[in-house]
Short mmCIF file of all heavy atoms in Angstrom, two decimals:
data_model
loop_
_atom_site.label_atom_id
_atom_site.label_comp_id
_atom_site.label_asym_id
_atom_site.label_seq_id
_atom_site.Cartn_x
_atom_site.Cartn_y
_atom_site.Cartn_z
N THR A 1 -102.96 200.05 152.05
CA THR A 1 -103.23 198.61 151.93
C THR A 1 -102.58 197.88 153.10
O THR A 1 -101.43 198.16 153.45
CB THR A 1 -102.65 198.05 150.60
OG1 THR A 1 -103.23 198.76 149.51
CG2 THR A 1 -102.94 196.57 150.47
N PHE A 2 -103.33 196.94 153.67
CA PHE A 2 -102.78 196.14 154.78
C PHE A 2 -102.50 194.72 154.31
O PHE A 2 -103.34 194.11 153.61
CB PHE A 2 -103.78 196.09 155.97
CG PHE A 2 -103.99 197.41 156.62
CD1 PHE A 2 -105.15 198.15 156.42
CD2 PHE A 2 -103.02 197.92 157.49
CE1 PHE A 2 -105.36 199.36 157.02
CE2 PHE A 2 -103.23 199.16 158.13
CZ PHE A 2 -104.39 199.88 157.89
N ILE A 3 -101.36 194.20 154.70
CA ILE A 3 -101.02 192.77 154.46
C ILE A 3 -101.26 192.05 155.77
O ILE A 3 -100.48 192.18 156.72
CB ILE A 3 -99.58 192.59 153.99
CG1 ILE A 3 -99.29 193.41 152.73
CG2 ILE A 3 -99.26 191.10 153.77
CD1 ILE A 3 -100.14 193.00 151.54
N ASP A 4 -102.35 191.31 155.82
CA ASP A 4 -102.79 190.66 157.06
C ASP A 4 -102.15 189.27 157.18
O ASP A 4 -102.61 188.32 156.53
CB ASP A 4 -104.31 190.56 157.10
CG ASP A 4 -104.83 190.14 158.47
OD1 ASP A 4 -104.08 189.52 159.22
OD2 ASP A 4 -106.00 190.47 158.76
N MET A 5 -101.12 189.14 157.99
CA MET A 5 -100.43 187.85 158.14
C MET A 5 -101.23 186.87 158.95
O MET A 5 -101.20 185.64 158.68
CB MET A 5 -99.05 188.10 158.77
CG MET A 5 -98.19 189.02 157.97
SD MET A 5 -96.49 189.04 158.57
CE MET A 5 -95.85 190.50 157.71
N ASN A 6 -101.94 187.33 159.94
CA ASN A 6 -102.76 186.44 160.76
C ASN A 6 -103.82 185.76 159.93
O ASN A 6 -104.12 184.57 160.14
CB ASN A 6 -103.41 187.23 161.90
CG ASN A 6 -102.42 187.62 162.98
OD1 ASN A 6 -102.02 186.80 163.80
ND2 ASN A 6 -101.95 188.86 162.99
N ALA A 7 -104.41 186.49 158.98
CA ALA A 7 -105.48 185.91 158.17
C ALA A 7 -105.01 184.73 157.37
O ALA A 7 -105.76 183.76 157.15
CB ALA A 7 -106.04 187.00 157.23
N LYS A 8 -103.76 184.76 156.90
CA LYS A 8 -103.24 183.66 156.08
C LYS A 8 -102.60 182.57 156.91
O LYS A 8 -102.63 181.40 156.52
CB LYS A 8 -102.23 184.23 155.07
CG LYS A 8 -101.68 183.18 154.12
CD LYS A 8 -101.08 183.81 152.88
CE LYS A 8 -102.16 184.33 151.96
NZ LYS A 8 -101.63 184.73 150.64
N MET A 9 -102.04 182.91 158.05
CA MET A 9 -101.28 181.91 158.82
C MET A 9 -102.10 181.27 159.96
O MET A 9 -101.66 180.29 160.53
CB MET A 9 -100.03 182.56 159.42
CG MET A 9 -99.03 183.05 158.39
SD MET A 9 -97.61 183.90 159.10
CE MET A 9 -96.76 182.56 159.91
N CYS A 10 -103.24 181.83 160.29
CA CYS A 10 -104.01 181.35 161.43
C CYS A 10 -105.42 180.93 161.03
O CYS A 10 -106.03 181.51 160.13
CB CYS A 10 -104.11 182.43 162.50
SG CYS A 10 -102.52 183.05 163.09
N LYS A 11 -105.93 179.95 161.75
CA LYS A 11 -107.29 179.48 161.56
C LYS A 11 -107.80 178.96 162.89
O LYS A 11 -107.16 178.13 163.53
CB LYS A 11 -107.36 178.38 160.51
CG LYS A 11 -108.77 177.92 160.18
CD LYS A 11 -108.74 176.87 159.07
CE LYS A 11 -110.18 176.44 158.70
NZ LYS A 11 -110.18 175.40 157.66
N ASP A 12 -108.94 179.46 163.31
CA ASP A 12 -109.56 179.05 164.59
C ASP A 12 -108.60 179.25 165.77
O ASP A 12 -108.54 178.43 166.68
CB ASP A 12 -110.01 177.58 164.53
CG ASP A 12 -111.05 177.36 163.45
OD1 ASP A 12 -111.86 178.27 163.20
OD2 ASP A 12 -111.05 176.27 162.85
N GLY A 13 -107.85 180.36 165.71
CA GLY A 13 -106.95 180.68 166.82
C GLY A 13 -105.65 179.92 166.86
O GLY A 13 -104.83 180.12 167.74
N LYS A 14 -105.42 179.03 165.86
CA LYS A 14 -104.17 178.28 165.77
C LYS A 14 -103.40 178.74 164.54
O LYS A 14 -103.98 178.88 163.47
CB LYS A 14 -104.45 176.78 165.71
CG LYS A 14 -105.08 176.25 166.97
CD LYS A 14 -105.31 174.73 166.84
CE LYS A 14 -105.93 174.16 168.12
NZ LYS A 14 -106.16 172.69 168.00
N CYS A 15 -102.10 178.95 164.71
CA CYS A 15 -101.33 179.56 163.63
C CYS A 15 -100.21 178.60 163.16
O CYS A 15 -99.54 177.96 163.96
CB CYS A 15 -100.70 180.86 164.12
SG CYS A 15 -101.91 182.03 164.74
N LEU A 16 -100.00 178.60 161.86
CA LEU A 16 -99.02 177.73 161.25
C LEU A 16 -97.61 178.26 161.56
O LEU A 16 -97.32 179.45 161.40
CB LEU A 16 -99.23 177.71 159.73
CG LEU A 16 -98.30 176.81 158.90
CD1 LEU A 16 -98.59 175.35 159.22
CD2 LEU A 16 -98.54 177.07 157.42
N THR A 17 -96.74 177.37 162.01
CA THR A 17 -95.35 177.77 162.26
C THR A 17 -94.38 176.96 161.41
O THR A 17 -93.28 177.39 161.15
CB THR A 17 -94.96 177.58 163.73
OG1 THR A 17 -95.10 176.21 164.08
CG2 THR A 17 -95.83 178.44 164.63
N ILE A 18 -94.78 175.75 160.98
CA ILE A 18 -93.90 174.93 160.16
C ILE A 18 -94.74 174.36 159.03
O ILE A 18 -95.81 173.80 159.27
CB ILE A 18 -93.25 173.80 160.98
CG1 ILE A 18 -92.31 174.39 162.04
CG2 ILE A 18 -92.46 172.85 160.08
CD1 ILE A 18 -91.64 173.35 162.90
N ASP A 19 -94.26 174.47 157.79
CA ASP A 19 -94.97 173.84 156.67
C ASP A 19 -94.02 172.90 155.93
O ASP A 19 -92.92 172.63 156.41
CB ASP A 19 -95.57 174.91 155.74
CG ASP A 19 -94.49 175.64 154.95
OD1 ASP A 19 -93.29 175.38 155.17
OD2 ASP A 19 -94.87 176.48 154.10
N LYS A 20 -94.42 172.42 154.78
CA LYS A 20 -93.66 171.39 154.07
C LYS A 20 -92.29 171.92 153.63
O LYS A 20 -91.37 171.13 153.35
CB LYS A 20 -94.43 170.89 152.86
CG LYS A 20 -94.68 171.97 151.81
CD LYS A 20 -95.49 171.38 150.64
CE LYS A 20 -95.75 172.47 149.58
NZ LYS A 20 -96.53 171.90 148.44
N ASN A 21 -92.10 173.23 153.55
CA ASN A 21 -90.82 173.80 153.15
C ASN A 21 -89.88 174.03 154.34
O ASN A 21 -88.71 174.37 154.15
CB ASN A 21 -91.04 175.15 152.44
CG ASN A 21 -91.72 174.98 151.10
OD1 ASN A 21 -91.30 174.14 150.32
ND2 ASN A 21 -92.75 175.75 150.86
N GLY A 22 -90.38 173.89 155.53
CA GLY A 22 -89.56 174.16 156.69
C GLY A 22 -90.23 175.23 157.54
O GLY A 22 -91.38 175.58 157.35
N SER A 23 -89.50 175.77 158.49
CA SER A 23 -90.06 176.74 159.41
C SER A 23 -90.47 178.02 158.72
O SER A 23 -89.79 178.52 157.83
CB SER A 23 -89.01 177.08 160.48
OG SER A 23 -89.43 178.15 161.26
N LEU A 24 -91.62 178.57 159.11
CA LEU A 24 -92.06 179.86 158.59
C LEU A 24 -91.39 180.99 159.36
O LEU A 24 -91.52 182.15 158.99
CB LEU A 24 -93.59 179.99 158.70
CG LEU A 24 -94.37 179.01 157.81
CD1 LEU A 24 -95.86 179.18 158.02
CD2 LEU A 24 -94.04 179.22 156.33
N TYR A 25 -90.73 180.64 160.44
CA TYR A 25 -89.99 181.65 161.24
C TYR A 25 -88.51 181.32 161.19
O TYR A 25 -88.11 180.17 161.37
CB TYR A 25 -90.45 181.63 162.69
CG TYR A 25 -91.87 182.11 162.88
CD1 TYR A 25 -92.94 181.28 162.74
CD2 TYR A 25 -92.11 183.46 163.17
CE1 TYR A 25 -94.26 181.70 162.90
CE2 TYR A 25 -93.43 183.92 163.32
CZ TYR A 25 -94.49 183.04 163.20
OH TYR A 25 -95.76 183.49 163.33
N ASN A 26 -87.71 182.34 160.97
CA ASN A 26 -86.25 182.11 160.85
C ASN A 26 -85.58 182.12 162.20
O ASN A 26 -84.69 181.33 162.47
CB ASN A 26 -85.64 183.19 159.95
CG ASN A 26 -84.16 183.02 159.77
OD1 ASN A 26 -83.40 183.47 160.63
ND2 ASN A 26 -83.74 182.39 158.69
N SER A 27 -85.97 183.03 163.08
CA SER A 27 -85.46 183.07 164.44
C SER A 27 -86.39 183.94 165.25
O SER A 27 -86.74 185.03 164.84
CB SER A 27 -84.04 183.65 164.47
OG SER A 27 -84.03 184.97 164.00
N GLY A 28 -86.76 183.47 166.41
CA GLY A 28 -87.70 184.24 167.23
C GLY A 28 -88.97 184.52 166.46
O GLY A 28 -89.63 183.62 165.95
N PHE A 29 -89.35 185.81 166.37
CA PHE A 29 -90.58 186.20 165.69
C PHE A 29 -90.35 186.54 164.21
O PHE A 29 -91.27 186.90 163.51
CB PHE A 29 -91.18 187.44 166.37
CG PHE A 29 -91.44 187.24 167.82
CD1 PHE A 29 -91.30 188.29 168.69
CD2 PHE A 29 -91.81 186.01 168.34
CE1 PHE A 29 -91.55 188.13 170.05
CE2 PHE A 29 -92.04 185.81 169.67
CZ PHE A 29 -91.93 186.89 170.54
N HIS A 30 -89.10 186.46 163.73
CA HIS A 30 -88.81 186.86 162.37
C HIS A 30 -89.21 185.78 161.36
O HIS A 30 -88.88 184.63 161.53
CB HIS A 30 -87.31 187.15 162.21
CG HIS A 30 -86.88 188.42 162.88
ND1 HIS A 30 -86.08 188.41 163.99
CD2 HIS A 30 -87.16 189.72 162.65
CE1 HIS A 30 -85.85 189.66 164.41
NE2 HIS A 30 -86.51 190.47 163.60
N LEU A 31 -89.89 186.19 160.32
CA LEU A 31 -90.26 185.26 159.27
C LEU A 31 -89.03 184.78 158.51
O LEU A 31 -88.05 185.50 158.38
CB LEU A 31 -91.24 185.91 158.29
CG LEU A 31 -92.65 186.23 158.80
CD1 LEU A 31 -93.44 186.91 157.70
CD2 LEU A 31 -93.37 184.99 159.29
N SER A 32 -89.12 183.55 158.02
CA SER A 32 -88.08 183.03 157.18
C SER A 32 -88.35 183.41 155.73
O SER A 32 -89.34 184.06 155.41
CB SER A 32 -88.04 181.49 157.29
OG SER A 32 -89.21 180.97 156.71
N TYR A 33 -87.48 182.94 154.83
CA TYR A 33 -87.72 183.13 153.40
C TYR A 33 -89.06 182.52 153.01
O TYR A 33 -89.82 183.11 152.26
CB TYR A 33 -86.59 182.47 152.62
CG TYR A 33 -86.81 182.40 151.14
CD1 TYR A 33 -86.47 183.46 150.31
CD2 TYR A 33 -87.38 181.27 150.53
CE1 TYR A 33 -86.68 183.42 148.96
CE2 TYR A 33 -87.59 181.21 149.18
CZ TYR A 33 -87.24 182.30 148.38
OH TYR A 33 -87.45 182.23 147.02
N PHE A 34 -89.34 181.33 153.56
CA PHE A 34 -90.60 180.65 153.24
C PHE A 34 -91.80 181.40 153.78
O PHE A 34 -92.87 181.42 153.17
CB PHE A 34 -90.58 179.22 153.78
CG PHE A 34 -89.38 178.42 153.31
CD1 PHE A 34 -88.38 178.09 154.21
CD2 PHE A 34 -89.24 178.06 151.99
CE1 PHE A 34 -87.25 177.37 153.79
CE2 PHE A 34 -88.13 177.35 151.58
CZ PHE A 34 -87.14 177.01 152.46
N GLY A 35 -91.60 181.99 154.97
CA GLY A 35 -92.70 182.77 155.55
C GLY A 35 -93.01 184.01 154.72
O GLY A 35 -94.16 184.35 154.44
N ALA A 36 -91.94 184.71 154.29
CA ALA A 36 -92.12 185.89 153.47
C ALA A 36 -92.75 185.55 152.12
O ALA A 36 -93.55 186.30 151.57
CB ALA A 36 -90.77 186.61 153.28
N LYS A 37 -92.40 184.38 151.62
CA LYS A 37 -92.89 183.92 150.32
C LYS A 37 -94.41 183.78 150.29
O LYS A 37 -95.06 183.94 149.27
CB LYS A 37 -92.24 182.59 149.97
CG LYS A 37 -92.44 182.15 148.52
CD LYS A 37 -91.64 180.88 148.27
CE LYS A 37 -91.79 180.43 146.81
NZ LYS A 37 -91.01 179.19 146.56
N LEU A 38 -94.99 183.51 151.47
CA LEU A 38 -96.44 183.35 151.58
C LEU A 38 -97.19 184.62 151.15
O LEU A 38 -98.32 184.55 150.66
CB LEU A 38 -96.85 183.05 153.02
CG LEU A 38 -96.73 181.61 153.53
CD1 LEU A 38 -97.18 181.57 154.98
CD2 LEU A 38 -97.56 180.65 152.69
N PHE A 39 -96.56 185.77 151.31
CA PHE A 39 -97.25 187.04 151.14
C PHE A 39 -96.82 187.81 149.91
O PHE A 39 -97.32 188.92 149.67
CB PHE A 39 -97.05 187.91 152.39
CG PHE A 39 -97.50 187.21 153.63
CD1 PHE A 39 -96.58 186.60 154.48
CD2 PHE A 39 -98.83 187.17 153.99
CE1 PHE A 39 -96.97 185.96 155.64
CE2 PHE A 39 -99.25 186.51 155.15
CZ PHE A 39 -98.32 185.91 155.95
N ILE A 40 -95.89 187.25 149.10
CA ILE A 40 -95.37 188.01 147.97
C ILE A 40 -96.46 188.33 146.95
O ILE A 40 -96.51 189.43 146.38
CB ILE A 40 -94.19 187.27 147.31
CG1 ILE A 40 -93.54 188.17 146.26
CG2 ILE A 40 -94.59 185.93 146.76
CD1 ILE A 40 -92.94 189.43 146.82
#
């Protein structure tokens, strides 16, 4: 099974990096708690 992060975070070549909970990235390319929560 593949968990496709691009499919959920990107649309028309543009990708979400910050949402209402704060940054989806914790540092550099690493997802934050909120970013990981998207895929649980």
Side-chain angles (χ1 to χ4, degrees):
T1 301
F2 293 104
I3 304 297
D4 191 336
M5 301 191 193
N6 287 283
K8 183 160 287 190
M9 296 177 69
C10 304
K11 185 177 181 181
D12 299 327
K14 295 180 179 180
C15 305
L16 183 67
T17 61
I18 295 179
D19 71 356
K20 63 181 180 180
N21 291 313
S23 170
L24 295 177
Y25 292 86
N26 180 278
S27 61
F29 305 145
H30 289 111
L31 291 179
S32 69
Y33 171 86
F34 305 111
K37 191 175 182 181
L38 279 179
F39 304 99
I40 188 63

